[in-house]
Amino acid sequence: MNTIHQMLGMGELPSDPIVGYLARSTSAFYALLGGLLLVLSRDVRTHRPVLTYLGLAVASFGLVLVFVDWIEGLPLPWKVFEGPFVLLLGMAISYLNHRVDADAEG
């Protein structure tokens, strides 16, 4: 993590326990979310309500990340990719979930 932090031009990664905690717990949360998406993808018709919520929640989270990344002054590549990618992921989940609804009706 320190090497990547330095490569992004942000200097030495602080060694305070909270920094390691936040980095590792965030990574674990993303892994948990990925596992949940895999489970839900096995039966999208049954899980449509949950996928509707997740699509909107992930897209909203992407917007929050865009705001936070700019406010915190993160490097430009980070600002350009993180939040917009998460926003697009949420939009893709919502769009594909809507397509399942449309296919089921038609």
Side-chain angles (χ1 to χ4, degrees), residues 60-71 79-80 82-85 87:
S60 298
F61 183 57
L63 289 174
V64 168
L65 288 175
V66 168
F67 179 73
V68 169
D69 291 351
W70 283 93
I71 293 296
K79 293 176 190 176
V80 170
E82 183 191 36
F85 175 80
L87 172 62

Side-chain angles (χ1 to χ4, degrees), residues 13-98:
L13 184 68
S15 61
D16 299 325
I18 191 68
V19 175
Y21 163 77
L22 289 172
R24 288 174 178 84
S25 62
T26 301
S27 294
F29 177 74
Y30 276 121
L32 182 138
L33 180 60
L36 175 62
L37 290 173
L38 285 173
V39 169
L40 294 175
S41 72
R42 294 181 52 83
D43 189 355
V44 293
R45 284 185 172 80
T46 299
H47 300 298
R48 275 187 288 194
V50 176
L51 289 165
T52 297
Y53 167 77
L54 276 174
L56 295 172
V58 169
S60 298
F61 183 57
L63 289 174
V64 168
L65 288 175
V66 168
F67 179 73
V68 169
D69 291 351
W70 283 93
I71 293 296
E72 292 301 324
L74 291 170
L76 185 60
W78 194 306
K79 293 176 190 176
V80 170
F81 291 108
E82 183 191 36
F85 175 80
V86 174
L87 172 62
L88 290 174
L89 176 63
M91 292 171 66
I93 292 169
S94 294
Y95 172 75
L96 293 171
N97 191 44
H98 175 73

